[in-house]
Every structure is written in C-alpha cells, then in structure tokens.
C-alpha cells in the first residue's frame, strides 16, 4: 500500500490505519495549500488591487471548502490561513504588547507657514542637507503595528500609550487588505509594519444603519466606529466590520533594502499591502505646501476620512540624523486641515419657503469657523428632524460642514443645558405671506398652499431659468433674486421683456454680461415642450413626466385640451401628476401667462428624447452620498431602465448628480460644473415619473 510509505515500512493493523490517515492528510494538506494560495491570491486581487479574477460565488465556494476541511482537520490549520479572517476565539481580555520601538505621535501644524517653519527647523538642524519629502494623507483611524516573522503575520497590536499596546492579532487578521503571508521572493525575515486601520464612510454608514435597525447606539464617526470595531474582545464581530488598512511605514527601516520612505512604501506594496494612491513625492517644501492644498480640496471626494496630511523627510539617512524628540520624530509633521465639526449656540430658527411652498427650518447659529469658513446658518431639514434630534433654542449644538455641503446641526450637547433652553415651535402661518400652513397626514413637510406667495414665486422663477429648467445662462439664482427685488421680474413673461437697459443699472452687470443674458433669454424662446413643461415647476411634473407628456401630446395645445383620464392613460403617469396637471392648466392665470409667452415668441421644436419611453436617454447620472430610500443598485437600475446612463466618476459627460446625505466634494464640483443636482426626493420624483 502506497500510503504506508508515509509512516513506516511495516504494515501492522494499528499503524496501517494511521498510515492511511496520514496519506489522506498529505492529500488534504496539499488541497489546503492550494486553497489557501488561491484564496489569498483572489483576496489580494479583490481587496488590494480592486481587480477580481473570479466571481464572489466562486470565491465563496473556495472559502467554504477551506473552512470545512480545516474543521475536519484542525491540526492542519496554519497561521496564514485565510480562515483566520473570520475572527478567532473571544478573549477574556486583551494581552499586552510592548513595542520594540515606541509608536510616536506627530507634531501638528495648522497652516502653510507651519509647514515652512518645519523646513526651517530641519535646515537649522542639518544645514548641509538637501531635503525632499513624501506627503501622505493623514488617515483618521487608529494606528497599529503588525509583525511578520519569516513572512507570516504573527502579531498585531494597537498603539496604546506608544510603548505598550493591546494584542489584536486575531482582529488584524480579519482585515482583508492586510496580507496574512507576505508575497514575493524578497520577503524579509522580520518586519514591523505600521499603519492606520480605518473604516470607509460607506462602511461606517452601513454599520450605523445595521445598528439603528438593531436599536443599538450609533457611532458618532468612522474613527470611533473603527476603534470600537478593533477593540472587540470577540474578533468574530470585528470580522463583520469592513475595516481597511493603509501602511504608512516600518518601525526599523534598517531591516529593508530601501533607502527612503517612498521606496519603502513601494516595497510594502510588492509584499502585498494596499498602498494609499495619494502618497506623493515632493521635491521641495513649495511642492509640499501645494500638495497640502490639493489634498484639502480632494478631502471630501475620498470615501474615507482624512484630517490632514503627513509630511515626512524622504531619505532614511536624514531621518536617522534628525532623530526624535520625546514624543515625536523631528523628520515628520502632521499638517492638519481646519476642523469640520465644532460646537456653537443655536440662537434662533428661521423658516424658509421653497418653490412648492415647502417650509424648511434653518438654524441661526452663533458664528463658528468650520473648515476655515464662518458658518452662521445650518439646515434643520424638517419638523421631524428637529424632534428626532431633540433640539431646543439656546442649546449648544455640534455642527458639521463637509466641503460645500450645507452645514448641518448634528445634535444638542445635552450636558451643557442650563434650563433656559426653549422648545422650537413650527409656525402656523407662512412667514412670507401669512397664509395658513398645511401639513398633510403622513408627510414630513409643512407647506404654504398660497401660489401667490412671493417666496414661492421667486423660487419658481429661479427654477425656470436654472439649468434644470430653461437653462438661461446669466440668469442664475443671484441674478433672479436681484431682478425680483428690483421688481423687474415678477412672473415668467417678465423675463422675456427684459432689456439690456434694465440690467445695466443693477449692481454687478456690465455691458457684455447684460448683452449675453438678453441674448440667452431670446434664444430660450425656442425650446422643446418637455423642457418648458419641466421648467414651469408644476408639482409632481419633473423631467421624466415632462418627456412622457411631450411624447404623447406633441403640442401644448393638445396637452391643455387633455383631461385627467388622458394623462392617466400614459404609462408612467400617476394620479397625483394627472390631478396636478389638470389643476395647473385650468388656472386662468396660467392660461394668461402662456398666451403672453406665445405672443413674445415662445415656440417648440421636437425633443430628441422622449421617444420609446426612454425619457432619460442622453442623460448620465452620478450618485454620491447615501440615499436612505434606495439601494445604490436599485437607483442605478431605474436610471438604466429609463434609458439613462450611470457614471462612476465626475466627468464632462455627467449631466445629473444625485446627492444623498453626506454628499461631500463631488457636490461642490458638480455645482462648479453647473450640473443638475437632485436630492433623494427630487430623484425619486424623476424616476417615478412625477
Ligand atoms: S506617521 C513617527 N503617517 O497620525 C510617525 N501617521 O498624530 C508616526 N497617521 O499615530 C506616524 N496617517 O495614527 C503617519 N500617513 C501617516 C498617517 C499617520 C495617520 C496617524 C497615526 C499616528 C498619528 C500621529
């Protein structure tokens, strides 16, 4: 029997049995080796390189086979087995780990001059040296050290107090971007890798959603969530959290062949780590300062939080000569971004009236600096949000600004209340026109039903000329406010009567800008029926419904002769839209307005969209931020069904940005690019054909 060879050369009963097993074991061991190799490879392709080779299903099958075999043959489990990624036994307490080299912190700087002072100090210390630098995003997570012996991950620990941390080896193994075994032929015998464990914003939001469902307390931010996830005694819980890792250095560079930071990171990349792609070599301090501004701008485009940039002297030989002070190295500096959260006082609540009469509460705050911008107003969304947050007038509140997103009040600081705080009451009448407000059952929104409300008129005019409406260049929000205040425009036909001489006396207008605006107004008289219908801002009639209507009726005349049933016959048009259309066109004031518009020369050409029930043909959508009412995939699928395209990044081809909660920097860019920006509610209306 061939298998006997594995044990001994004699065949007796007991030994024979062992021999058969050991033969099996060899085969099993081989299979396990193969499985581990494959799983590690696919894991690396998927998590580190973002370039998977096999489907999730195939990966799961391999993983299942590995787990089953290891369960049957526990003696064959190895320290680098990917099965360790699902978490280990729950600990009674964390073991302690002494760091061979202290994990230092960094000196902080908050300005460009702070960065230049850093170079000044370096030059005073080493007058003869030439410095080049590596600039890296400063990740807002928590620092860990990971030890590899003979290429295998053997110990992972938190920073702790810098000298002693906690043993989180089984937790570290669950992080998919950390190799369990180092790759390549150049693996050092011993290596201590340091870096930051963090959660992506998406991962954080999903985690909080799950916690909200389970009625567990929510994490305040991704950093706390990452720290909370790593410090679980039960690493099986850690395994369910989508933690990520970027290395930022090694504790003892003399163990590597690399002679500088950039090469060392490159080497770590070859060993199997995912390296932050925003790491940048800067040949002098001017480039460092420039890159600080680049990163600050990009900050909100990233799907993880960074709170600054770390600049490091690139050459290890110079780092060594510079050495360290008690708590921080002389060769590195943390360049912090201005804070995006702060506390301030909620002084008052104002109520804004939107285009459709929706009343939005706005917090009036004691001015506070966020990301270098003074903020004194923040959105409170609606009455239910105020209640949910439990805000009171006079509260000290935590406010947050992320890029160009409207600042938000996150929560009151209840411990700082002194009893003088007062309840916030929603108004019963419109603050602009005094009409009684209505809140329909089941709706979160309070509305002013008066169509003549000046605030609604102004907002409607702003919508009419906007990109989402008639797209009249030069007549943006500010210009429309100015024209409305100057009583030059109080309804849509007024826009078409504007003359250059009306604009010139107004602040900010010059000969050229006025001429261009008048030209743009003139040109906009030729439009498509769908665009015009969308621009009118009829309730429940968005871009998609407008396209369906054009497709069905071809002319405004025919559309105006249609009854509710005719509208309901169109697939994609529901009861609310049909009623709204009938009400709108039955209004004598609307009919009069349309007559005036036709007299001025409004006329329609045919759209090149709106056919084949593909109202989003020719449109490209980009999604950013969280849409609580949709899964991303659902939203994307709907866009595609309606003939639209979905983009994965911001480009000139994108026409619509759908911005959910915490939308971040893409929103700012989209505004700069003057794209059509939709919030969740507007997107929903668009795809539901309302
Ligand atoms: S280098 C001795 N690089 O910032 C140098 N730190 O304030 C040690 N951090 O504890 C740190 N991103 O947790 C370095 N690219 C980066 C970093 C980074 C985030 C954290 C790290 C450290 C803290 C220091």
């Amino acid at each position: 029997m061939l298998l006997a060879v594995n044990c001994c050369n004699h065949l007796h009963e007991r030994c024979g049995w062992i021999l058969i097993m050991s033969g099996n074991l060899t085969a099993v061991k081989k299979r396990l080796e193969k499985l581990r190799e494959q799983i590690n490879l696919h894991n690396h392709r998927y998590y580190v390189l973002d370039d998977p080779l096999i489907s999730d299903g195939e990966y799961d099958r391999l993983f299942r086979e590995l787990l089953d075999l290891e369960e049957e043959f526990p003696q064959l489990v190895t320290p680098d087995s990917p099965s360790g990624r699902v978490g280990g036994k729950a600990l009674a307490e964390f073991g302690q780990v002494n760091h061979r080299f202290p994990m230092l912190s960094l000196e902080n700087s908050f300005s460009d001059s702070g960065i230049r002072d850093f170079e000044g100090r370096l030059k005073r210390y080493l007058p003869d040296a030439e410095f080049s630098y590596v600039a890296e995003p400063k990740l807002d997570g928590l620092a860990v050290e990971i030890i590899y012996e003979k290429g295998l991950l053997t110990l992972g620990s938190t920073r702790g107090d810098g000298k002693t941390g906690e043993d989180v080896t089984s937790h570290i193994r669950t992080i998919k971007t950390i190799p369990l075994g180092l790759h390549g032929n150049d693996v050092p015998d011993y290596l201590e890798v340091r870096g930051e464990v963090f959660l992506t914003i998406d991962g954080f939001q999903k985690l909080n959603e799950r916690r909200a469902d389970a009625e567990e307390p929510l994490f305040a931010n991704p950093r706390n969530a990452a720290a909370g996830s790593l410090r679980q005694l039960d690493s099986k819980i850690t395994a369910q959290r989508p933690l990520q890792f970027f290395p930022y250095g090694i504790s003892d560079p003399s163990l590597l062949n690399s002679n500088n930071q950039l090469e060392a990171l490159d080497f770590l990349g070859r060993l199997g780590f995912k390296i932050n792609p925003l790491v940048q070599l800067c040949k002098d301090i001017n480039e460092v300062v420039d890159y600080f501004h680049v990163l600050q701008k990009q900050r909100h485009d990233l799907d993880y939080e960074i709170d600054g940039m770390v600049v490091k002297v690139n050459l290890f030989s110079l780092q060594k000569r510079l050495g360290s002070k008690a708590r921080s190295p002389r060769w590195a500096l943390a360049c912090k971004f201005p804070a995006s959260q702060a506390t301030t006082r909620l002084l008052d609540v104002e109520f804004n009236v939107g285009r459709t009469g929706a009343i939005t509460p706005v917090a009036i705050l004691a001015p506070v600096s966020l990301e270098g911008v003074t903020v004194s107003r923040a959105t409170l969304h609606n009455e239910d949000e105020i209640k949910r947050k439990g805000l009171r007038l006079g509260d000290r509140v935590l406010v947050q600004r992320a890029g160009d997103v409207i600042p938000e009040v996150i929560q009151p600081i209840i411990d700082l209340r002194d009893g003088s705080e007062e309840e916030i009451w929603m108004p019963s009448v419109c603050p602009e026109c005094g009409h009684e407000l209505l809140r329909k059952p089941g709706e979160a929104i309070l509305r002013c039903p008066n169509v003549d409300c000046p605030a609604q008129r102004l907002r409607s005019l702003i919508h009419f000329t906007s990109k989402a409406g008639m797209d009249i260049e030069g007549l943006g929000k500010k210009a429309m406010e100015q024209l409305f205040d100057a009583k030059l425009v109080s309804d849509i036909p007024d826009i078409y009567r504007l003359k250059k001489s009306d604009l010139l006396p107004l602040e900010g207008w010059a000969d050229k800008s006025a001429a261009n605006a008048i030209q743009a107004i003139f040109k906009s008289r030729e439009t498509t029926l769908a665009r015009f219908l969308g621009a009118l801002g009829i309730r429940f009639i968005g871009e998609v419904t407008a396209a369906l209507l054009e497709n069905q009726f071809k002319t405004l005349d025919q559309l105006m002769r249609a009854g509710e049933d005719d509208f309901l016959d169109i697939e994609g048009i529901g009861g609310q839209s049909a009623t709204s259309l009938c009400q709108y066109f039955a209004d004598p004031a609307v009919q009069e307005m349309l007559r005036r518009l036709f007299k001025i020369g409004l006329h329609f050409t045919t759209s090149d969209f709106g056919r084949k029930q593909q109202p989003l043909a020719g449109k490209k959508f980009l999604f950013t931020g969280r849409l609580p009412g949709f899964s991303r995939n659902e939203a994307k699928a709907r866009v595609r069904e309606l003939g639209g395209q979905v983009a994965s990044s911001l480009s000139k081809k994108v026409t619509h940005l759908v911005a959910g909660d915490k939308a971040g920097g893409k929103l700012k860019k989209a505004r700069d690019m003057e794209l059509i920006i939709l919030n969740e509610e507007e997107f929903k209306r668009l795809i539901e054909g309302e």
Side-chain angles (χ1 to χ4, degrees):
M1 175 192 292
L2 175 70
L3 295 174
V5 180
N6 287 324
C7 178
C8 62
N9 290 322
H10 317 283
L11 255 185
H12 56 82
E13 210 177 323
R14 194 175 125 72
C15 191
W17 178 77
I18 296 170
L19 292 177
I20 291 166
M21 281 306 293
S22 87
N24 257 345
L25 273 187
T26 315
V28 172
K29 206 168 154 210
K30 271 219 168 105
R31 178 65 191 149
L32 277 170
E33 271 164 20
K34 185 83 195 150
L35 280 169
R36 283 178 197 131
E37 191 189 306
Q38 283 183 317
I39 292 170
N40 282 334
L41 166 83
H42 294 305
N43 191 67
H44 183 70
R45 296 289 302 213
Y46 186 90
Y47 289 102
V48 178
L49 305 179
D50 289 327
D51 184 18
L53 287 175
I54 57 170
S55 70
D56 291 2
E58 281 169 279
Y59 180 85
D60 290 344
R61 264 196 299 284
L62 292 174
F63 210 92
R64 192 69 258 159
E65 188 184 342
L66 175 81
L67 292 182
D68 289 348
L69 275 179
E70 285 190 353
E71 196 179 284
E72 207 172 324
F73 301 95
Q75 68 274 37
L76 296 183
V77 178
T78 56
D80 65 334
S81 174
S83 58
R85 294 203 184 276
V86 296
K89 276 210 190 86
L91 306 171
E93 58 177 355
F94 290 103
Q96 300 229 310
V97 176
N98 290 324
H99 302 298
R100 257 179 10 112
F101 295 92
M103 290 183 77
L104 299 175
S105 56
L106 294 168
E107 207 158 292
N108 288 326
S109 138
F110 296 91
S111 62
D112 294 2
S113 59
I115 301 175
R116 294 186 194 284
D117 292 348
F118 168 65
E119 169 154 87
R121 288 196 295 278
L122 297 177
K123 291 207 154 142
R124 272 198 301 284
Y125 215 83
L126 296 179
D128 57 324
E130 283 279 322
F131 294 100
S132 69
Y133 304 92
V134 170
E136 302 168 8
K138 185 171 187 303
L139 295 146
D140 202 8
L142 63 155
V144 297
E145 179 174 82
I146 310 168
I147 297 181
Y148 288 86
E149 288 169 276
K150 302 209 177 336
L152 293 182
L153 190 164
T154 52
L155 186 65
S157 55
T158 60
R159 174 175 182 272
D161 62 6
K163 286 198 183 91
T164 309
E166 286 172 337
D167 182 341
V168 285
T169 312
S170 55
H171 307 70
I172 290 291
R173 283 195 216 276
T174 68
I175 302 174
K176 313 283 196 308
T177 43
I178 296 178
L180 300 173
L182 299 175
H183 304 191
N185 307 323
D186 211 7
V187 171
D189 232 28
Y190 181 84
L191 185 68
E192 289 168 357
V193 178
R194 288 175 177 183
E196 200 84 348
V197 169
F198 62 99
L199 266 180
T200 59
I201 295 168
D202 195 46
F204 158 71
Q205 284 170 343
K206 289 205 175 109
L207 174 58
N208 259 356
E209 276 165 29
R210 284 213 307 265
R211 288 175 76 83
D213 285 348
E215 295 188 0
E216 286 167 344
L218 302 187
F219 288 115
N221 53 46
R223 208 203 89 80
N224 289 0
S229 301
L230 200 61
R231 296 199 71 262
Q232 291 286 335
L233 285 166
D234 184 354
S235 53
K236 290 220 166 48
I237 298 179
T238 313
Q240 289 157 19
R241 308 278 171 86
L243 290 170
Q244 306 238 5
F245 177 78
F246 278 131
Y248 53 65
I250 32 171
S251 59
D252 183 4
S254 66
L255 297 176
L256 295 188
N257 291 329
S258 327
N259 69 19
N260 64 58
Q261 168 73 1
L262 198 69
E263 273 179 19
L265 290 180
D266 203 48
F267 182 60
L268 289 177
R270 275 180 277 129
L271 291 178
F273 286 94
K274 183 167 183 165
I275 306 298
N276 191 317
L278 295 172
V279 170
Q280 172 88 5
L281 178 67
C282 299
K283 65 176 187 306
D284 58 30
I285 206 74
N286 291 328
E287 287 192 8
V288 173
V289 172
D290 288 348
Y291 195 58
F292 180 56
H293 292 280
V294 169
L295 274 187
Q296 200 166 325
K297 283 211 188 79
Q298 272 191 22
R299 163 181 199 190
H300 296 295
D301 292 339
L302 305 177
D303 66 350
Y304 50 87
E305 290 198 343
I306 60 174
D307 58 350
M309 180 184 90
V310 181
V311 53
K312 299 172 184 173
V313 168
N314 191 24
L315 276 183
F316 288 142
S317 56
L318 291 179
Q319 288 188 5
K320 201 164 166 206
R321 285 172 68 196
L322 287 159
S324 296
K325 294 189 288 181
R327 302 192 48 230
S328 53
R330 286 196 190 85
W331 44 265
L333 178 75
C335 316
K336 298 289 276 279
F337 297 143
S340 57
Q341 281 196 345
T343 61
T344 186
R345 197 162 299 281
L346 174 62
L347 301 176
D348 200 359
V349 176
E350 252 180 37
F351 296 92
N352 271 0
V353 187
R355 171 165 63 89
T356 57
I359 307 288
T360 310
V362 178
I364 307 300
L365 305 165
V368 61
S369 175
L370 288 180
E371 299 194 344
V373 174
T374 304
V375 167
S376 53
R377 298 165 74 84
T379 179
L380 292 171
H381 303 290
N382 56 48
E383 186 178 6
D384 293 352
E385 275 293 294
I386 296 179
K387 290 225 174 85
R388 192 179 65 76
K389 290 175 180 163
L391 293 169
R392 295 194 195 152
L393 283 181
D395 262 337
R396 268 205 91 75
V397 289
L398 181 67
V399 287
Q400 170 171 292
R401 181 175 187 270
D404 201 33
V405 179
I406 305 165
E408 242 197 317
V409 174
I410 307 285
Q411 64 192 50
I413 301 165
I414 291 173
D415 290 346
L416 293 181
R417 280 187 178 156
D418 62 9
S420 65
E421 297 76 16
E422 291 169 24
E423 199 165 327
I424 298 168
W425 292 101
M426 294 299 280
S428 56
V429 296
C430 173
E432 301 275 349
C433 71
H435 199 291
E436 198 180 330
L437 299 178
L438 297 177
R439 181 172 168 177
K440 280 203 188 144
E443 275 192 12
I445 306 216
L446 198 62
R447 268 178 213 284
C448 168
N450 173 17
V451 283
D452 277 328
C453 171
Q456 290 186 50
R457 273 177 170 264
L458 172 59
R459 299 274 140 64
S460 301
L461 287 165
I462 292 172
H463 172 74
F464 185 80
T465 54
S466 74
K467 196 103 179 154
M470 299 295 281
D471 192 14
I472 304 181
E473 236 182 294
L475 293 193
K477 184 167 180 265
K478 275 214 182 96
M480 292 312 288
E481 281 170 352
Q482 198 183 28
L483 295 169
F484 191 78
D485 287 347
K487 303 216 167 9
L488 284 164
V489 171
S490 62
D491 62 14
I492 294 171
D494 286 350
I495 299 169
Y496 290 91
R497 284 212 305 266
L498 281 172
K499 297 186 293 298
K500 209 171 119 183
S501 55
D502 292 328
L503 300 178
L504 284 175
L506 302 178
E507 207 191 309
W509 290 93
D511 208 56
K512 187 148 196 271
S513 54
N516 286 346
I518 300 297
Q519 176 70 16
I521 295 170
F522 185 79
K523 259 177 56 188
S524 77
R525 294 173 320 151
E526 178 177 306
T527 186
T528 62
L529 178 59
R531 180 177 282 282
F532 178 70
L533 288 173
L536 288 175
I538 308 166
R539 260 195 98 187
F540 305 116
I541 310 301
E543 243 175 303
V544 170
T545 316
L548 296 175
L549 290 168
E550 175 184 289
N551 197 28
Q552 179 77 5
F553 296 106
K554 309 289 188 266
T555 70
L556 187 61
D557 215 36
Q558 287 198 43
L559 187 148
M560 287 176 73
R561 271 193 248 125
E564 206 159 323
D565 286 348
D566 299 315
F567 294 130
L568 287 172
D569 280 346
I570 304 172
E571 202 180 313
I573 293 193
Q576 279 182 317
S577 311
T579 314
S580 173
L581 283 165
C582 288
Q583 275 174 1
Y584 186 82
F585 288 111
D587 184 344
V590 167
Q591 293 171 3
E592 174 57 20
M593 174 189 78
L594 294 171
R595 257 194 301 280
R596 280 168 67 201
L597 282 174
F598 285 122
K599 228 166 115 188
I600 297 157
L602 175 78
H603 62 282
F604 301 122
T605 57
T606 320
S607 300
D608 46 10
F609 59 86
R611 296 191 188 93
K612 292 184 277 170
Q613 305 277 339
Q614 295 234 312
L616 299 185
K619 314 248 155 96
K620 195 160 189 174
F621 286 71
L622 177 67
F623 292 88
T624 181
R626 193 175 64 101
L627 299 175
F630 290 90
S631 80
R632 272 277 169 95
N633 286 342
E634 233 179 283
K636 289 179 178 173
R638 243 352 241 141
V639 166
R640 291 194 184 103
E641 268 169 38
L642 294 168
Q645 288 173 283
V646 178
S648 56
S649 62
L650 205 51
S651 74
K652 280 197 184 130
K653 290 198 181 133
V654 174
T655 55
H656 292 60
L657 181 87
V658 183
D661 295 350
K662 286 209 163 190
K666 278 188 197 141
L667 184 57
K668 176 170 163 37
K669 269 203 204 140
R671 285 206 182 111
D672 294 344
M673 291 164 75
E674 295 192 5
L675 302 184
I676 296 170
I677 297 171
L678 305 172
N679 62 24
E680 182 181 6
E681 192 54 35
E682 290 161 338
F683 174 67
K684 199 164 157 237
R685 265 188 255 134
L686 179 73
I687 59 167
E688 283 174 2
E690 286 177 347

